[in-house]
Amino acid sequence: MTAAILTDLTKCVGCQACVWACKELNGLPRGDDARALSATTLTVVERHGNVNVRRQCMHCLDPACASVCPVGALHKTPEGPVAYDESKCIGCRYCMVGCPFSIPKYEWDRRVPRVQKCVMCYAELVSRGRQPACTQVCPAGATVFGQREALLTEARHRVASEPQRYIGHIYGEHEAGGTAVLYLSAVPFDQLGFPTTVRKDPYPRLTWNVLSNLPQVVSVAGVGLIGIWWIVRRRQELAATRPPEGER
């Protein structure tokens, strides 16, 4: 069972109630323009043509950010959200490089910066059996909270029952191995700023495939270095035993 969010972009009215509810719960300033994800705006409603596009952490089922974090500051919770423990963060920013959706942001203006991203209100609400602040306040039912399988069933039903309203793609069903944040849309996602070249396999698996080959690479390189060392040493030995030019 994985807690998830389904956002239906055909229903979003762009009121930004989700944005302000997020800021209030997380104690983030309301003075910025909140037009893009940042260290102080963890969810945002972007405008692409006539479409309102709510963006937030995708909460991957197998998150790359957690797999590359060397200190375990980011971790996948049993309930589904990818949580963050800032007391462990060392500021290496590997998570920012590893995320295929470019979600984590850095507090560049702070003396002791932290990484910031949506954690789906895990500590305050979801871990206590409640839904995130953003889905609580959506007046149009555009973004809803539930279990991932149930939301996928609902999304497939909407696409099948109203094919004229939706494109046949549930974003997040397969991207990066599947995510806990899902989207429905009437417009192709590549026209709405979503990365559409994301791999279907979980990114940690890709990392493992590379790392698992490292011993072979190291072994081959080691043999090569030993060979070079032997050749150099042999040449030095021959040079040392060679008689001077005038004695030949």
Side-chain angles (χ1 to χ4, degrees):
M1 303 289 282
T2 298
I5 292 174
L6 171 63
T7 295
D8 187 336
L9 300 180
T10 70
K11 293 187 175 185
C12 183
V13 297
C15 66
Q16 294 190 309
C18 54
V19 177
W20 306 123
C22 173
K23 283 181 174 287
E24 181 174 350
L25 183 85
N26 291 286
L28 298 171
R30 297 172 61 98
D32 55 13
D33 55 8
R35 294 181 180 177
L37 290 178
S38 70
T40 57
T41 300
L42 309 185
T43 187
V44 69
V45 178
E46 300 173 347
R47 187 75 173 169
H48 292 264
N50 295 322
V51 183
N52 298 304
V53 180
R54 182 182 172 221
R55 303 297 304 276
Q56 64 175 110
C57 174
M58 296 295 289
H59 294 278
C60 300
L61 302 184
D62 195 352
C65 60
S67 73
V68 300
C69 181
V71 294
L74 288 156
H75 65 279
K76 185 73 172 175
T77 63
E79 294 86 350
V82 178
Y84 171 63
D85 184 346
E86 67 178 50
S87 68
K88 295 181 178 178
C89 184
I90 58 175
C92 67
R93 305 193 295 278
Y94 287 171
C95 55
M96 297 173 66
V97 177
C99 177
F101 303 102
S102 302
I103 296 298
K105 304 300 178 189
Y106 200 57
E107 296 176 327
W108 295 100
D109 57 343
R110 293 185 57 148
R111 180 175 299 176
V112 183
R114 302 166 298 178
V115 168
Q116 293 286 3
K117 77 168 198 70
C118 160
V119 295
M120 207 186 284
C121 304
Y122 176 69
E124 298 85 355
L125 299 174
V126 172
S127 66
R128 302 176 183 180
R130 300 172 61 187
Q131 62 174 310
C134 57
T135 58
Q136 288 183 32
V137 298
C138 181
T143 187
V144 295
F145 178 74
Q147 294 300 315
R148 186 172 188 269
E149 284 306 313
L151 293 179
L152 274 175
T153 300
E154 172 62 23
R156 293 174 186 136
H157 172 72
R158 293 186 194 181
V159 172
S161 60
E162 296 185 84
Q164 73 285 359
R165 179 170 182 166
Y166 299 102
I167 60 170
H169 181 186
I170 303 170
Y171 193 90
E173 182 176 12
H174 301 296
E175 281 77 9
T179 64
V181 173
L182 307 165
Y183 288 91
L184 287 175
S185 174
V187 177
F189 288 101
D190 62 348
Q191 299 178 24
L192 301 176
F194 286 80
T196 53
T197 57
V198 176
R199 296 171 60 91
K200 303 301 181 187
D201 296 329
Y203 277 71
R205 185 179 303 173
L206 174 65
T207 305
W208 168 247
N209 289 338
V210 173
L211 293 176
S212 63
N213 287 321
L214 279 180
Q216 301 175 28
V217 173
V218 171
S219 298
V220 171
V223 171
L225 289 173
I226 291 174
I228 294 172
W229 172 82
W230 184 87
I231 292 171
V232 171
R233 182 176 176 82
R234 182 59 177 164
R235 287 181 175 176
Q236 290 174 340
E237 290 175 350
L238 292 174
T241 58
R242 187 178 301 143
E245 289 290 337
E247 299 178 3
R248 293 181 185 177

